[in-house]
Amino acid sequence: MTEPKYKRIVLKLSGEAIAGEAGFGIDPETIKSMVSEVKEVHELGIEVAIVVGGGNIWRGNIGSEMGMERAQADYMGMLATVMNALALQDVLENNGVPTRVQTSIDMRQIAEPYIRRRAERHLEKGRVVIFAGGTGNPYFTTDTTAALRAAEIDADVILMAKNNVDGVYNADPKLDATATKFENLTHLEVIAKGLKVMDSTASSLSMDNNIPLVVFNLNEPGNIRRVVMGENIGTTVQG
Ligand code: UDP
């Protein structure tokens, strides 16, 4: 059997991916299919850390638009990611995958605090670690959290799971029939071309720390395994 390309991965799951077709809230069926994908790579012996988003429940900019103070609204967004993390943990554990949730903001009754070395130890012991609460700071995103945690735990790659989009395009493929997909990009190209892969803070952090990124379609069953096994799907961003 061929060896997996990556040993330790950070999987970024957006809130949108957790909402499924509904586009809002938590869809149990969507989480179940996501979990079976994660279980598949976990069984290959891959160390899996997950960074969850929260946009399916709340985003800081929604609050700002309503006239809320931005930082306050962002803290609500961070709390939303914790709800997603707990939902994901529940389904993973029901499917026999051992997990730990670590939050960047202390919530000791429901999850461990984020401790880098402890997270690494969990991964070595075969537990899936779910990082919740984003970076713990307003004005950031969970994409930046994915880049930050990937750097901290020395992950081999960030897998950026997208909803029904199979990579990075030069235009929105849902709106423009002539849009073409990039096979490979550099982080600098992503920033310079203003491509919607991650926000620029997340891209800069990934670039500065040399973290490769694979953008792929989560809705295609088996895709996480394909990426981990080194199949050329989606768009790879590195360098
Ligand atoms: N957030 C934040 N700091 C962080 C991560 C997230 O303030 O480090 C807040 C921010 O308001 C954001 C919300 O949490 O809008 C949800 O996160 P994100 O938008 O990254 O989720 P996703 O788009 O992946 O669902």
Side-chain angles (χ1 to χ4, degrees), residues 7-80:
K7 175 89 181 79
R8 177 175 288 181
I9 64 171
V10 166
L11 175 66
K12 164 68 209 297
L13 294 175
S14 66
E16 195 190 4
I18 290 171
E21 294 292 307
F24 181 82
I26 296 173
D27 181 44
E29 289 310 312
T30 305
I31 297 196
K32 274 184 206 154
S33 60
M34 212 180 259
V35 160
S36 69
E37 302 279 301
V38 172
K39 189 179 162 86
E40 205 180 5
V41 292
H42 178 256
E43 281 169 354
L44 289 173
I46 312 293
E47 295 178 3
V48 185
I50 301 177
V51 171
V52 272
N56 55 322
I57 299 170
W58 182 262
R59 271 181 208 287
N61 61 345
I62 303 175
S64 306
E65 284 160 20
M66 287 163 43
M68 280 180 76
E69 197 196 335
R70 175 63 193 264
Q72 179 88 343
D74 277 342
Y75 280 116
M76 289 172 67
M78 289 181 246
L79 292 178

Side-chain angles (χ1 to χ4, degrees), residues 7 27 29 44 55 74 81 84 87 90 104 108 110 114 116 118 127 142 149 153 158 165 184 192-193 209 236:
K7 175 89 181 79
D27 181 44
E29 289 310 312
L44 289 173
D74 277 342
T81 71
N84 284 333
D90 186 74
S104 54
R108 288 171 185 266
I110 56 172
Y114 171 63
R116 183 182 65 83
R118 190 182 251 192
R127 297 171 187 140
T142 53
R149 295 290 183 248
I153 66 168
I158 300 170
V165 188
N184 293 288
K193 291 181 201 284
N209 294 289
T236 302

Side-chain angles (χ1 to χ4, degrees), residues 16 160-169 171-174 181 196 215-219 223 234:
E16 195 190 4
M160 198 75 165
K162 292 281 177 190
N163 241 8
N164 292 316
V165 188
D166 64 350
V168 183
Y169 285 76
D172 186 344
K174 286 173 188 155
K181 193 175 101 181
K196 289 191 178 59
V215 183
F216 67 102
N217 184 5
L218 181 66
N219 305 84
N223 262 359

Side-chain angles (χ1 to χ4, degrees), residues 100-104 111-115 118-119 122 129-132:
R100 292 290 185 275
V101 174
Q102 291 200 341
T103 56
S104 54
E112 287 181 7
Y114 171 63
I115 298 171
R118 190 182 251 192
H122 288 320
V129 180
I130 306 169
F131 292 125

